[in-house]
Amino acid sequence: MKPYQPFDHTADLGLVIRGANEEDLFANAAFAVFDIITDLGRVEARETRRILVEGDSREDLLINFLREVLYLYNGERWLLKGLRVTSVGERVLEAEALGEPFDGQKHEICKEIKAVTYHQAEVRKTPDGWTARVIFDV
């Protein structure tokens, strides 16, 4: 079972993301983005990228994190295979992303994600762990 679930939202893409703890939630959010963008079975963990983001709230931290994750593909043409959150607090998150540069001979882009939005963004602790809701422009 995937750690995220799409939901209908007009012409955009909405996701509900779950994690056992905050680290899992953020790692699953990054996984969801790249699982939608490409076939992760074809991506190798050949390089490491460090991600450091700040935010004024949990929602702001998630949005800023997902913006950085999206920049890896949109700005650097780099595909994420996996991610490990090394530190997460109320206002700062550090992570290590594993992946490789996009290769048109090897990788297929399934869906383009343009941006992450603040619209209806939500992060909350539940009895079963953590849940987030986020909407992307596609």
Side-chain angles (χ1 to χ4, degrees):
M1 182 177 199
K2 289 186 179 183
Y4 69 93
Q5 176 182 341
F7 64 87
D8 291 331
H9 188 274
T10 60
D12 297 329
L13 170 67
L15 296 178
V16 173
I17 304 151
R18 293 178 181 79
N21 53 44
E22 283 183 282
E23 291 85 356
D24 284 348
L25 179 70
F26 283 91
N28 291 343
F31 168 83
V33 167
F34 279 90
D35 190 47
I36 290 166
I37 290 174
T38 192
D39 175 1
L40 289 177
R42 294 181 173 207
V43 180
E44 295 178 51
R46 295 179 23 211
E47 299 175 3
T48 302
R49 302 286 175 97
R50 185 170 179 256
I51 297 173
L52 173 64
V53 294
E54 296 179 6
D56 293 332
S57 67
R58 294 267 194 260
E59 289 79 12
D60 193 41
L61 192 61
L62 177 65
I63 298 302
N64 291 340
F65 170 71
L66 290 172
R67 284 180 175 163
E68 284 295 313
V69 166
L70 270 174
Y71 178 76
L72 292 174
Y73 173 68
N74 290 332
E76 298 184 18
R77 302 300 284 177
W78 194 83
L79 297 175
L80 180 140
K81 172 70 173 183
L83 182 127
R84 184 176 70 89
V85 175
T86 56
S87 173
V88 63
E90 287 186 34
R91 296 181 182 248
V92 178
L93 179 138
E94 293 181 61
E96 291 179 352
L98 301 168
E100 66 180 333
F102 172 76
D103 177 349
Q105 300 295 324
K106 178 180 178 182
H107 306 116
E108 177 185 350
I109 301 306
C110 303
K111 185 169 206 138
E112 294 279 348
I113 297 176
K114 296 177 193 171
V116 59
T117 73
Y118 277 97
H119 183 66
Q120 297 181 351
E122 179 183 49
V123 177
R124 62 187 168 92
K125 188 171 177 22
T126 69
D128 298 324
W130 287 80
T131 301
R133 178 182 170 97
V134 65
I135 296 173
F136 297 90
D137 288 332
V138 292

